[in-house]
Amino acid sequence: MTFVQSTLQNINAGWEEPVVDIDFVRSRDPDTVLTAFTASCDVLHVMAHGDHSVTPMFISSDEKTSISLEELGAAAADKGRGISTGAIIADGCKTGTGVWQKAVRDCLQGEVTYIGTSAIIGWHESGVFCSAFYGALFRNKGKGMSPTKQARDAAVRAIEAYKLLTDRTCPYRVMTLKPSKRAQLLLG
C-alpha cells in the first residue's frame, strides 16, 4: 500500500495544478470514506479488504472498521449526492464480482469506469497494476477523451502491462457501470 500511495503522491508533483484529481481512501474512518464517496474527482481509489459474504463491504486491515456499500449508498442519498467520478478502483479482494457491481451502481451519480478484482490480491498485484494504471492515465490525461474513457483506456493498458510484467493473468477487471434505478431515483 505504501508503494501505491507514493506513486499517487508523485503523479501531481511539479505541477501548479493537479494533472489528475485522485481521492485515495483507506477504510479506517467511515466519515472520511463517505466524504470521498460524495466528492467529485477523476479517480476514487479505495484500498481495503473486500468482503461480500453478507453484503459488499470494505474492512480495514486492523479489522476494527467495516463499511458496507449499502450504508455508504444510504448515507450518500441522505446528502443527495452519490459517487461522481470518472473511475473507481476498488483495490481489494474479489471486488469485481456481480454483487459488488450491483452495490456500486446503487451509489453512483453518473456513469463510471469501475475497476475491481476477480481474485484474492496482495500488495504485489496492487502495486504492479496501479503503477501501470496511473502511468497510463497520466500519460494520456487531457487527450480529448472523457475521464471515464481515459480511465478505461488506462485500465486496459495496465491489464496488458500486468500480463507482460508478471507472465500471469491480471486479477483486475475493468467495466463501465451506470447508476441503478434506485440510484437514479435517490440521487438523480
Side-chain angles (χ1 to χ4, degrees):
M1 178 177 57
T2 303
F3 182 75
V4 172
Q5 285 178 303
S6 65
T7 300
L8 296 179
Q9 289 171 351
N10 287 320
I11 286 176
N12 291 316
W15 296 90
E16 287 183 30
E17 294 200 22
V19 174
V20 62
D21 181 15
I22 302 165
D23 283 353
F24 179 80
V25 181
R26 291 181 62 194
S27 62
R28 298 208 190 275
D29 176 41
D31 291 331
T32 302
V33 176
L34 178 61
T35 299
F37 269 61
T38 57
S40 293
C41 60
D42 295 319
V43 179
L44 173 61
H45 188 138
V46 182
M47 182 174 265
H49 296 284
D51 186 23
H52 62 278
S53 55
V54 177
T55 184
M57 64 176 45
F58 293 108
I59 303 169
S60 63
S61 55
D62 63 4
E63 297 184 4
K64 291 182 180 178
T65 305
S66 62
I67 305 165
S68 76
L69 287 176
E70 186 176 343
E71 293 169 330
L72 283 171
D78 288 344
K79 291 184 172 210
R81 183 149 175 86
I83 298 172
S84 178
T85 182
I88 299 171
I89 299 180
D91 204 359
C93 299
K94 297 188 178 183
T95 57
T97 61
V99 68
W100 272 85
Q101 292 171 43
K102 182 188 177 315
V104 168
R105 289 182 66 235
D106 286 344
C107 299
L108 294 179
Q109 193 140 346
E111 185 176 280
V112 68
T113 293
Y114 181 75
I115 303 161
T117 63
S118 60
I120 295 173
I121 62 165
W123 68 268
H124 181 262
E125 292 84 5
S126 178
V128 171
F129 176 82
C130 291
S131 294
F133 172 79
Y134 285 113
L137 183 67
F138 176 74
R139 188 171 257 295
N140 283 339
K141 186 72 180 142
K143 300 285 187 198
M145 290 189 278
S146 69
T148 303
K149 288 181 181 176
Q150 289 172 358
R152 183 170 199 52
D153 177 66
V156 168
R157 292 172 56 201
I159 289 168
E160 290 303 314
Y162 185 98
K163 291 176 190 174
L164 180 67
L165 291 168
T166 65
D167 203 24
R168 297 179 143 190
T169 301
C170 183
Y172 287 82
R173 302 288 177 256
V174 61
M175 60 217 72
T176 301
L177 297 181
K178 296 181 180 183
S180 66
K181 290 186 189 251
R182 179 179 182 266
Q184 289 173 4
L185 181 66
L186 295 173
L187 303 169

